């Protein structure tokens, strides 16, 4: 079995290597010569746990090229970006990939689309392009097989998660299933192509809407003067309630984008677009928190800890950090960024000490594990404010080191402030103030068992 994988990015490359490590001959295709050259010289174009080991296992059966070549199966795993101005999917890479496959397509070949697309794209856009050289669908097989892997755990999830396979017809679905079964240990569920496209988008939209709900709860909790993190822990003790975590916004190439794909052909779906708005506005909310804290500080410098879109990865795609930095710079703040996971970022990245030297406020935007245990003793701040937008710090430790700690969603010790208004804080927390504005632990916390509600009884 020879498989030609188009697109050697975060999804295409691990998938290609998994096929190769499980016995297929794989040619990987990427339009970037640098990616092709790097791979053919044994270098990986990005980091992902386990990928180097996998490459070593797969390399006998894998090589990279700039153009596709004849194969038994073709797999498209190219990006489908969102046009930021119109909020409409940009299918140009998918179209190009289909055009590149068409001249090589033979009767009996299978084409798999893994890229995430709006419902109906396979039938309306991809299949007609594949048919351009005269072989029609039915003579070649076609399936949409969306991935479900989460960056940071891509390989485990690609192999272990259940998977949806939506074929053009029975033969297509069965052939695609048998190919994935070479490395997928999770259950495979079969359906048609359009349903598979829809399911993928529903999954990420569901997560986006649920995160938006958590973010709205965080803002409501601040208005009500309570700590949303305690409230969520308690609400999640209900057997049928799972509230996600609030934060500074939703990033990554999937959750911040897929809801727009789902709704681009619809005039309904107000909840989906409202959720997008709520999540996209979270950097503004964090800025509002910073503005209140820093109102009495002259020419504030803000140190951003974490520019990756989520914890323990170096991926900055759609990271809320971009918007926060822009807003903070427009506010007149000097910005310094620190992220030990990220290799490249438009804003200079510094080590923790340089990023905080003379700074007025640390803002935790990403939940990297290394931040959780960080001891702020060595930081040479001008003003000791910290905003924990992920609720990950050891607040007691930071308070002991003289920091005023402000946790996103913890309204239990914050005067409710309507959005947009600035309350002068200078008299409350003068520059260099060494006091905490974190919530003092209410007595119920000490009663709350981490595993259940028994301790209340
Ligand atoms: N986030 C929160 N609160 C939470 C959970 C996440 O604010 O409670 C934020 C994260 O910090 C991040 C963003 O949401 O900025 C997205 O992170 P994520 O871990 O939820 O998801 P992704 O984008 O890394 O991967 C998602 C996954 N989809 C689902 O969980 C439904 C993954 O399984 C998909 O394969 C992937 O999208 C994709 O490629 O579609």
């Amino acid at each position: 079995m020879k498989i030609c994988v188009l697109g050697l990015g975060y999804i295409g490359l691990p998938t290609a290597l998994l096929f190769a490590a499980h016995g297929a001959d794989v040619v990987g295709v990427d339009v970037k010569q640098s990616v092709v050259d790097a791979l053919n010289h044994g270098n990986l174009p990005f980091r992902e746990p386990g990928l180097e080991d996998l490459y070593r296992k797969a390399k006998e059966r894998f090589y990279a090229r700039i153009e596709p070549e004849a194969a038994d199966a073709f797999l498209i795993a190219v990006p489908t970006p969102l046009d930021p101005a119109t909020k409409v999917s940009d299918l140009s890479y998918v179209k190009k990939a289909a055009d590149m496959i068409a001249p090589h397509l033979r009767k009996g070949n299978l084409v798999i689309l893994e890229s995430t697309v709006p419902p109906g794209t396979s039938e309306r856009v991809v299949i007609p392009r594949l048919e351009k050289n005269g072989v029609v669908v039915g003579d070649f097989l076609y399936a949409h097989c969306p991935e479900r892997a989460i960056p940071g755990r891509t390989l485990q999830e690609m192999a272990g998660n259940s998977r949806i396979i939506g074929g053009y017809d029975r033969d297509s679905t069965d052939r695609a299933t048998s190919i994935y079964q070479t490395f997928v240990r999770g259950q495979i569920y079969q359906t048609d192509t359009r349903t598979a496209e829809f399911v993928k988008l529903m999954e990420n939209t569901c997560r986006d809407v649920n995160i938006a709900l958590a973010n709205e709860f965080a803002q409501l909790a601040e208005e009500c003067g309570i700590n949303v993190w305690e409230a969520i822990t308690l609400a999640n003790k209900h057997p049928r309630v799972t509230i996600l975590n609030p934060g500074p916004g939703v990033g990554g190439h999937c959750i911040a984008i897929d809801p727009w794909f789902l709704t681009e052909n619809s005039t309904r779906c107000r909840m989906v677009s409202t959720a997008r708005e709520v999540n996209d506005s979270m950097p503004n909310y964090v800025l509002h928190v910073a503005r209140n804290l820093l109102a009495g500080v002259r020419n504030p410098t803000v140190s951003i800890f974490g520019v990756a879109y989520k914890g323990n990865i170096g991926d900055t795609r759609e990271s809320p950090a971009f918007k926060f930095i822009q807003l903070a710079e427009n506010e007149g703040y000097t910005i310094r960024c620190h992220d030990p996971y990220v290799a490249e970022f438009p804003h200079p990245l510094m080590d923790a000490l340089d990023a905080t030297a003379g700074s007025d406020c640390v803002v935790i935007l990403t939940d990297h594990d290394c931040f959780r245990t960080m001891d702020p003793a060595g930081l040479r701040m001008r003003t000791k404010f910290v905003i924990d937008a992920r609720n990950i710090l050891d607040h007691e430790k930071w308070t002991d080191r003289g920091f005023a700690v402000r946790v996103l969603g913890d309204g239990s010790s914050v005067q409710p402030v309507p959005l947009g208004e600035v309350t002068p804080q200078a008299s409350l927390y003068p520059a260099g103030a060494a006091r905490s504005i974190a919530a003092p632990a209410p007595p119920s916390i000490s009663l709350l068992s981490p595993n259940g509600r028994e301790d209340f009884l």
Side-chain angles (χ1 to χ4, degrees):
M1 158 75 59
K2 180 173 173 185
I3 306 177
C4 182
V5 177
L6 285 85
L8 297 175
Y10 293 91
I11 298 302
L13 180 59
T15 307
L17 296 178
L18 280 166
F19 278 126
H22 288 83
D25 292 314
V26 178
V27 50
V29 176
D30 202 284
V31 290
K32 285 192 195 141
Q33 187 71 50
S34 57
V35 170
V36 170
D37 290 344
L39 283 166
N40 287 335
H41 288 97
N43 301 315
L44 295 174
F46 57 89
R47 282 191 300 172
E48 175 65 31
L51 199 61
E52 290 201 5
D53 285 348
L54 178 65
Y55 179 82
R56 274 193 287 278
K57 281 186 205 136
K59 68 177 186 217
E60 297 304 317
R61 292 183 172 272
F62 172 86
Y63 59 91
R65 289 191 78 226
I66 201 99
E67 291 281 344
E69 56 189 38
D72 302 300
F74 297 87
L75 188 149
I76 302 173
V78 296
T80 42
L82 181 79
D83 182 325
T86 58
K87 304 290 185 201
V88 169
S89 58
D90 170 0
L91 299 176
S92 56
Y93 299 104
V94 169
K95 289 176 184 169
K96 187 169 178 202
D99 291 343
M100 287 168 83
I101 292 170
H104 302 281
L105 203 52
R106 303 282 171 266
K107 211 172 163 191
N109 285 170
L110 167 68
V111 180
I112 294 170
L113 177 69
E114 277 217 12
S115 308
T116 306
V117 290
T121 300
S122 289
E123 294 149 76
R124 286 196 306 264
V125 177
V126 185
I127 290 174
R129 282 176 179 260
L130 292 168
E131 288 176 330
K132 274 199 179 137
N133 275 42
V135 196
V136 294
V137 69
D139 286 345
F140 71 86
L141 308 177
Y142 181 90
H144 179 51
C145 309
E147 51 75 29
R148 287 174 159 174
I150 204 147
R153 288 179 42 82
T154 298
L155 298 181
Q156 292 105 301
E157 295 218 346
M158 275 183 173
N161 287 356
S162 63
R163 203 156 181 135
I164 306 297
I165 293 189
Y168 169 79
D169 54 17
R170 181 82 259 158
D171 277 359
S172 300
T173 312
D174 287 344
R175 176 82 80 81
T177 301
S178 70
I179 287 182
Y180 279 103
Q181 273 171 337
T182 58
F183 73 83
V184 172
R185 296 188 310 272
Q187 184 74 38
I188 290 180
Y189 297 97
Q190 299 184 329
T191 183
D192 60 84
T193 303
R194 190 181 286 218
T195 305
E197 292 167 339
F198 197 78
V199 168
K200 165 74 189 187
L201 297 172
M202 277 203 311
E203 291 167 2
N204 283 344
T205 302
C206 174
R207 194 154 168 87
D208 196 45
V209 170
N210 280 305
I211 296 169
L213 187 61
N215 283 332
E216 203 148 278
F217 284 152
Q219 294 171 60
L220 286 169
E222 291 202 3
E223 280 173 23
C224 293
I226 60 145
N227 182 340
V228 79
W229 301 94
E230 185 202 356
I232 289 175
T233 306
L234 293 170
N236 284 349
K237 300 296 173 196
H238 187 292
R240 285 174 295 284
V241 171
T242 308
I243 302 170
L244 296 177
N245 294 323
V250 167
H253 184 66
C254 307
I255 297 201
I257 288 181
D258 292 359
W260 295 117
F261 285 22
L262 188 63
T263 59
E264 73 176 40
N265 293 314
S266 173
T267 50
R268 297 160 210 277
C269 301
R270 279 183 310 228
M271 194 193 296
V272 175
S273 46
T274 303
R276 280 281 69 247
E277 275 169 36
V278 170
N279 289 334
D280 276 352
S281 73
M282 288 312 289
N284 305 65
Y285 192 74
V286 179
L287 183 80
H288 152 79
V289 171
R291 189 188 286 141
N292 284 331
L293 269 189
L294 293 165
V297 178
R298 212 152 50 90
N299 301 328
T301 295
V302 169
S303 311
I304 292 168
F305 274 40
V307 296
Y309 83 85
K310 67 175 185 177
N312 305 328
I313 60 168
D315 191 337
T316 61
R317 288 177 298 170
E318 316 297 326
S319 172
F322 287 107
K323 186 173 183 187
F324 181 77
I325 290 170
Q326 207 173 347
L327 290 168
E329 284 186 331
N330 289 354
E331 190 76 11
Y333 300 165
T334 300
I335 294 299
R336 305 230 194 94
C337 297
H338 166 63
D339 193 316
Y341 282 82
V342 173
E344 270 178 52
F345 193 64
H347 221 279
L349 292 172
M350 305 172 172
D351 67 29
L353 286 180
D354 287 344
T356 49
S359 171
D360 299 295
C361 185
V362 172
V363 181
I364 306 287
L365 289 185
T366 307
D367 44 350
H368 291 318
D369 283 343
C370 56
F371 295 159
R372 291 176 198 274
T373 48
M374 196 166 49
D375 188 342
L379 306 184
R380 299 277 162 258
M381 307 276 294
R382 178 172 71 162
T383 318
K384 290 189 170 181
F385 286 139
V386 59
I387 298 172
D388 185 358
R390 297 281 189 174
N391 190 27
I392 56 163
L393 299 181
D394 179 341
H395 299 140
E396 217 173 278
K397 197 194 280 177
W398 284 71
T399 308
D400 288 349
R401 303 292 188 199
F403 276 78
V405 181
R406 174 69 161 79
V407 183
L408 183 81
D410 180 1
S412 59
S413 62
V414 179
Q415 282 296 317
V417 182
L419 265 172
E421 275 184 34
V422 175
T423 305
Q425 299 267 327
S427 56
L428 271 178
Y429 310 116
R435 57 172 292 186
S436 170
I437 55 168
S444 58
I445 285 180
S446 57
L447 294 173
L448 176 63
S449 132
N451 301 320
R453 59 174 99 191
E454 295 77 8
D455 293 356
F456 282 118
L457 301 176

